[in-house]
Amino acid sequence: MPKEKESKVSFNLKTPKGTKDWSGSDALLRDRIFTTIADVFKRHGGTALDTPVFELREILAGKYGEDSKLIYDLQDQGGEICSLRYDLTVPFARWLAMNPDVRSMKRYHIAKVYRRDQPAVSKGRMREFYQCDFDIAGTFDPMVPDAEILRIVTEVFEELGWNGRYNIKINHRKILDGVFQVCGVPEEKIRPISSAVDKLDKMPWADVRKEMVDEKGLDGAVADKIETYVVKKGGRDLLDILLKDEALMANESAKAGLEDMSLLMDYLEAFGVLDKMSFDMSLARGLDYYTGVIYEVVTEGSAPAVSSSAPEAQVVQKSGKKSKSKGGNLEDDDRSNDPTLGVGSVAAGGRYDNLVGMFLPKAQIPCVGVSFGVDRIFSITKARIEREKSAEALRSSEVDAYVMAFGGKGFTGMLKERMSVCQTLWNAGVKAEFSYKVKPKLPQQFKAAEQAGVPFAIILGEDELAAGKVRVKEMGLEDGHPEKEGVLVDLAALPAEVKARVAKKQGESVSDVTQQLDDLKVDA
Amino acid sequence: MPKEKESKVSFNLKTPKGTKDWSGSDALLRDRIFTTIADVFKRHGGTALDTPVFELREILAGKYGEDSKLIYDLQDQGGEICSLRYDLTVPFARWLAMNPDVRSMKRYHIAKVYRRDQPAVSKGRMREFYQCDFDIAGTFDPMVPDAEILRIVTEVFEELGWNGRYNIKINHRKILDGVFQVCGVPEEKIRPISSAVDKLDKMPWADVRKEMVDEKGLDGAVADKIETYVVKKGGRDLLDILLKDEALMANESAKAGLEDMSLLMDYLEAFGVLDKMSFDMSLARGLDYYTGVIYEVVTEGSAPAVSSSAPEAQVVQKSGKKSKSKGGNLEDDDRSNDPTLGVGSVAAGGRYDNLVGMFLPKAQIPCVGVSFGVDRIFSITKARIEREKSAEALRSSEVDAYVMAFGGKGFTGMLKERMSVCQTLWNAGVKAEFSYKVKPKLPQQFKAAEQAGVPFAIILGEDELAAGKVRVKEMGLEDGHPEKEGVLVDLAALPAEVKARVAKKQGESVSDVTQQLDDLKVDA
C-alpha cells in the first residue's frame, strides 16, 4: 500500500562531522591491521578487555586537563549522567579499581574513542577513531614490563611491514624533571616548561625559548641551560654522557630516571630491539599522568608538509594541538592534501603509576602501556600499497569461487543446480557466490565475477553436469594458456580441487590486501 | 611529589546501568563467536561496513515507532544533533542512500547498538549490546537472496555447534495480511491485530483473543476465524494445505505470499536446509518495515522459565516488551536466575523493501537481512560449556609457553637469558611469557604458569644453557610419566619443538574455549 502523498523527504544525508563510514577494501585492509596488532598482543599473553562506549561522567572528570572540553556528553534523559570515552586508558584504570582482586594483568583493547576536536579527515584525524591499546598492570621489578611494551611496539610495526620506516623516541619523565630542577626552573613552572619543550618536534628552539621566556616568564639564562640538554638525541652514547654529568647525577629525580634508562637499554638489548630506539630528551608527552618512561613512534608520514624554519628539527605534529591554537572553523588541514603527511605519531605511551589510585587510593597499581593510532597507520599503509602496487585493484570481499551456468536453446538457468553446487562448496568452507538471477546470461556472470575480483569460475553445463562433472576456470588467463577454457572436474572432487587451486594461487597472487600486506613485509 | 592533602575520592565505581565490562575467558569466548559468525559471512561474499556509533538524529527519527523513546541522545554541545544508533539496519539504509552508485551489495556489520530499555543483565538483555548483521541489498529474482540468508543462519548455528538445538520459524508478511483480510479484519486494524498475533509465542490463544476483542475492538467471530489460521505450524505439508485454500488463494496478498513461500521452500531444499525451518503462521515480528519473508531463531533457552497456562503453545519472550508492559524499576528479571532461560530469540530478520527509499525515494533498493543477538548466543554457549566441561577451567589468554629459570646458590635470576629465549619464541610467532621479577623462585614461576593455564614450561638452568640446551616440560603430567621432568632440547631447535608440541596438544586438549567450541560442534 504505497502512500500517494509521501511527505517530502529532506534528510541531511551524511555522517556526523569528523566521522566516516568504512567500507569495501578500506574496511578489509583496516581489519587486517587490527588482526595483525591483536596477534602480537596475544603472543605476549594479552587478554581482551571490552568496556562500554560510555562511562559515568564522573569517571572521566579530572583526567584530561584542558582537553576535557573535547569530551562528548550524553543527554540527561533521566537517570545517570554519562559521556563517551575519550581514551581506553581511563576505562582500564576504572576496571582495575573495580576489580581489586586482580593485582596484575596484561590487557589489550581495540575500540573506538571519541573527541570533539577539529577533524582533518584526509589525514585520519577524526572525532571517532580506533585505538589499539596494550597495558601491563602490576608491581614488578623495574623496567621489565616497560621493555616488553617497547618490544611489542617493534613487533607490531615489523609485522605491518614498516621495517626501517619508523623511529621510536624514548625519554623519562624523571630525567626531564631533574633537568628542569638542575637548570633552575621554579617548581611551579616545571609542567608549563615541560609542555613548551614538547613542541620542539614542530618548531625551532628559538620559538620554544620565546614561549618560555616571553609567555611563561622563565629567566633567559635558565632557558639557555635547558637548551643544552633537550636538543640531545642518541642512544647508549648519550646515556653514558649523562651518567657522567655530575650536576644531573646529584639530582635525585634525574639520577633515578637515568638509572631506569640504563636498565631499560640493557633489557631492550636482550629483546633485540635497542637499535630501533632513539633516546630523545625533547620528548615530553602532553598527558599529566605519566610518571616514568615515555615514548612515541614517528614515521616518514608523521612530519607535516611545511617548510620548517629549522630543517634539522624533527617536526612532528601532535593531534589536537594545532587546531586549538588556531581555533576557527577549519574543517580540514590546509597545508597539504597528501594523506600520508602530517599524520603525527602513530603510537605512543608510557608509564603511569598513579592513575588507578585516582579511583581507589587503596588499590594503587602501577601501569605501563602503549596506544596504536590505527587510522593513521591505515592511511600510511594504504598509500604505500597504492604506490607500490598501483596496477592491482584492491578487493572488497574474499570470495574464491563464482558458480555460474550456461546452456543453449531452452536453457533453464540451472538455478537450483548452482545453489546445490554452492552448498557443497560452503559445506567445505569455500567462499562462493552465484548470480541471484533465475536465468542469467553467461557474460553477465563472468562480468560479476570479474568485477568482484573472484579468482575462479565454476561453470555448470547441462550435459557435463549430467555426467557428474563441472568446469573450473581460473579467471584472467591469457589466450593460448593450456587451461584457458578451464578443466573438467568430478563434482565430488570439486571442493578439494578449488581449495588446492586457491591455496596455490594465493602463493603467487598479489590481488588481495592480505597478500599485499604480506608482500610489503617481504619487500621492506 | 605526592600531595599530602588528597581531596576525598567518592567515585561511583561502576559501569552505566545496563552495560558491563567483558574480560577474561568471557571476552575470549565472545570473540570466538564473532570470528565464527564473520567467517560464515565472508564465505558468502559479505563485505564489511563500519558506520559511526552515532548518527544525525534526523536519520533515526521515524524509523522505530514507539521504540524511538529508547534512543540515546547526545547532548547538544554546539553543532550537530546526534543520537547513538539503535540498530545496524537503519545506518546501512542511510549508507545505501548516500552511495547511489552501489546498486547491490552483501554487507556484514558486527558492532554495538544502544537502547535505553529496562535491562536484564543475567539474561544478556543489555542497554549496550552487540549485533551481527548480514544483509543483501539489490533487485534480484524473487526469494533467491532470501533463501541464502536462511542458509547463512543455519551455517552460523551449525558452526557454533548448535546442531539440532535451534528452530528457525519462518512466515511472510503478505500471507499474514492476506489472512487478516480474508477473515474480515478492517484495514486500519491489521497492524494492531498483527501485533497481538505476535504474542502467541508467550501467551495462550485465549489471552490473545481477549486482547483482540476487548482491547482492540475486533468482532469475536473474526477473531475465531483468525485462530484457525495462526495456530498452524508445519512445513511443506502446511503450505500445500494453504495453497488449496480457495478463500486465501482468492486474496491477492495471500496468494503472492504463498507463491513466494513455495519458491522459498524449493530454494531452501536446494541449499539443503529446508528441514531446519518451521513455517509458523503466528510469527509476525514487531518492526513495521518488514514487507516480505520474516524469520526468527529460537532455541532451548529462548522460552521463559514460567509455567504456562497453555503448555502446548511455544512460549518465547520478546526482548523489551515485558518490561514495557510491567514498567516500574525492575532491574532484573524476577522469574528465574538461570541465565540460559528466557533470553528470547537469538537471531531474527526479514525482507524490507522500502527502508532505503525513506532516505532517498529515487534510490529505492530492496533488502533482506538477518541480525544475530550475540550476547544471548554467548550466554547459552557459555552455560553449555560450563555444564558439559565443568571440570575444565576456561582460560583467559592463549599463551603457549612460560619461560622460567632456576639455579642454586648465587643464582642471578637469568632475566636477560629468559628475555632472549622469549625473543626467539616471539620471533617464531610462539605465544610466550616470563616472570617480570629479576630473581623469581621456581615454584612462583610454576604457579604463574599453572594459574594462566599455560601448557608448556621452558626451563633454563645455568649449566644446561651453557651447553646450548633448555628443558621443555609439559605442565600437569602425572608422576611416573616418562616426560614428567621435561626433555632437553637444543636452543636452536626450541621454537620448532614448542610449535610441534603445541599443535599436537591442541589435537588432544579441551583446555581452551576455542577447543571447547570445536568440541561442542563434534558432540552435537
Side-chain angles (χ1 to χ4, degrees), chain B residues 219-238:
Chain B
D219 186 305
V222 173
D224 293 338
K225 237 175 141 179
I226 291 175
E227 183 191 8
T228 65
Y229 287 108
V230 298
V231 298
K232 285 181 175 149
K233 298 183 201 342
R236 223 194 269 266
D237 51 335
L238 171 58

Side-chain angles (χ1 to χ4, degrees), chain B residues 476-489:
Chain B
L477 291 183
E478 283 169 25
D479 286 341
H481 189 286
E483 295 194 352
K484 174 74 181 169
E485 299 307 316
V487 288
L488 270 184
V489 171

Side-chain angles (χ1 to χ4, degrees), chain A residues 51 55-64 85-100 289 352-365 367, chain B residues 6-15:
Chain A
T51 64
E55 295 275 347
L56 296 181
R57 194 168 301 165
E58 60 192 5
I59 297 286
L60 305 188
K63 305 298 182 304
Y64 303 107
R85 64 182 162 217
Y86 180 87
D87 64 13
L88 304 176
T89 311
V90 167
F92 177 47
R94 189 264 306 149
W95 185 89
L96 285 169
M98 270 176 69
N99 291 274
Y289 57 59
Y352 52 100
D353 285 348
N354 303 328
L355 191 59
V356 178
M358 288 178 75
F359 292 108
L360 205 64
K362 285 176 203 164
Q364 194 57 280
I365 299 180
C367 297
Chain B
E6 199 92 64
S7 62
K8 259 206 170 173
V9 189
S10 66
F11 287 106
N12 199 355
L13 263 183
K14 63 186 281 291
T15 61

Side-chain angles (χ1 to χ4, degrees), chain A residues 12 14 17 21-22 30 50 58 73 75 80 94 106 128 141 148 151 427 433 436 438, chain B residues 12 14 17 21-22 30 50 53 58 73 75 80 94 106 141 148 151 427 433 436 438:
Chain A
N12 199 356
K14 63 185 281 289
K17 183 177 175 181
D21 299 316
W22 288 80
R30 194 178 60 165
D50 176 39
E58 60 192 5
D73 292 328
Q75 193 173 301
E80 297 161 339
R94 189 264 306 149
K106 296 175 186 169
E128 172 186 67
D141 281 326
E148 183 159 354
R151 163 79 200 189
N427 285 343
E433 282 188 306
Y436 290 160
V438 172
Chain B
N12 199 355
K14 63 186 281 291
K17 184 176 176 182
D21 299 317
W22 288 79
R30 194 178 61 166
D50 176 40
V53 80
E58 61 192 4
D73 292 329
Q75 192 173 303
E80 297 162 339
R94 188 265 304 150
K106 296 175 187 168
D141 280 328
E148 184 160 350
R151 162 79 200 189
N427 284 343
E433 282 188 307
Y436 290 162
V438 172

Side-chain angles (χ1 to χ4, degrees), chain A residues 63-116:
Chain A
K63 305 298 182 304
Y64 303 107
E66 67 172 26
D67 280 354
S68 293
K69 68 175 186 293
L70 302 181
I71 292 175
Y72 276 97
D73 292 328
L74 291 188
Q75 193 173 301
D76 179 2
Q77 292 173 285
E80 297 161 339
I81 306 297
C82 299
S83 299
L84 296 185
R85 64 182 162 217
Y86 180 87
D87 64 13
L88 304 176
T89 311
V90 167
F92 177 47
R94 189 264 306 149
W95 185 89
L96 285 169
M98 270 176 69
N99 291 274
D101 50 317
V102 178
R103 303 302 302 170
S104 72
M105 184 184 199
K106 296 175 186 169
R107 90 86 173 76
Y108 72 89
H109 193 179
I110 298 181
K112 289 173 173 177
V113 301
Y114 298 87
R115 299 181 185 180
R116 296 184 65 259

Side-chain angles (χ1 to χ4, degrees), chain A residues 1 9 11-17 19-24 27 30-31 42-59 63 71-75 77-78 80 82 84-85 94-95 97-98 105-106 108 112 114 116 128 130 136 140-141 144-145 147-148 151 155 187 266-267 270-272 358-361 396-399 415-416 419-420 422-423 426-427 429-439, chain B residues 1 9 11-17 19-24 27 30-31 42-59 63 71-75 77-78 80 82 84-85 94-95 97-98 106 108 112 114 116 128 130 136 140-141 144-145 147-148 151 155 187 266-267 269-272 357-361 396-399 415-416 419-420 422-423 426-427 429-439:
Chain A
M1 299 162 283
V9 189
F11 287 107
N12 199 356
L13 263 183
K14 63 185 281 289
T15 61
K17 183 177 175 181
T19 70
K20 60 173 280 194
D21 299 316
W22 288 80
S23 63
R30 194 178 60 165
D31 202 47
K42 287 178 199 166
R43 190 186 299 156
H44 288 264
T47 66
L49 175 68
D50 176 39
T51 64
V53 80
F54 47 81
E55 295 275 347
L56 296 181
R57 194 168 301 165
E58 60 192 5
I59 297 286
K63 305 298 182 304
I71 292 175
Y72 276 97
D73 292 328
L74 291 188
Q75 193 173 301
Q77 292 173 285
E80 297 161 339
C82 299
L84 296 185
R85 64 182 162 217
R94 189 264 306 149
W95 185 89
M98 270 176 69
M105 184 184 199
K106 296 175 186 169
Y108 72 89
K112 289 173 173 177
Y114 298 87
R116 296 184 65 259
E128 172 186 67
Y130 264 98
I136 301 175
F140 303 110
D141 281 326
V144 187
E148 183 159 354
R151 163 79 200 189
E155 278 186 42
E187 203 62 37
D266 283 356
Y267 296 158
F271 280 148
M358 288 178 75
F359 292 108
L360 205 64
S396 63
S397 84
E398 300 168 345
V399 171
L415 174 58
K416 288 185 201 170
M419 287 175 156
S420 176
C422 270
Q423 184 201 337
W426 291 331
N427 285 343
V430 176
K431 303 181 190 104
E433 282 188 306
F434 66 103
S435 165
Y436 290 160
K437 272 187 183 305
V438 172
K439 269 198 263 186
Chain B
M1 297 163 285
V9 189
F11 287 106
N12 199 355
L13 263 183
K14 63 186 281 291
T15 61
K17 184 176 176 182
T19 69
K20 60 173 279 194
D21 299 317
W22 288 79
S23 63
R30 194 178 61 166
D31 202 48
K42 287 178 198 166
R43 190 186 300 158
H44 288 263
T47 66
L49 176 67
D50 176 40
T51 65
V53 80
F54 48 81
E55 295 274 345
L56 296 180
R57 195 167 302 165
E58 61 192 4
I59 298 286
K63 305 296 182 304
I71 293 175
Y72 275 97
D73 292 329
L74 291 188
Q75 192 173 303
Q77 291 172 284
E80 297 162 339
C82 300
L84 297 185
R85 64 184 162 216
R94 188 265 304 150
W95 185 90
M98 270 176 69
K106 296 175 187 168
Y108 72 89
K112 289 173 174 177
Y114 299 87
R116 296 185 66 256
E128 172 186 66
Y130 264 99
I136 300 174
F140 303 110
D141 280 328
V144 188
E148 184 160 350
R151 162 79 200 189
E155 278 185 43
E187 203 62 38
D266 283 357
Y267 296 158
E269 195 157 34
F271 279 148
M358 288 177 77
F359 292 108
L360 205 66
S396 62
S397 84
E398 300 169 345
V399 171
L415 174 59
K416 287 185 201 171
M419 287 175 155
S420 176
C422 270
Q423 184 201 338
W426 291 332
N427 284 343
V430 175
K431 304 184 191 100
E433 282 188 307
F434 66 103
S435 165
Y436 290 162
K437 274 190 183 303
V438 172
K439 270 198 261 184

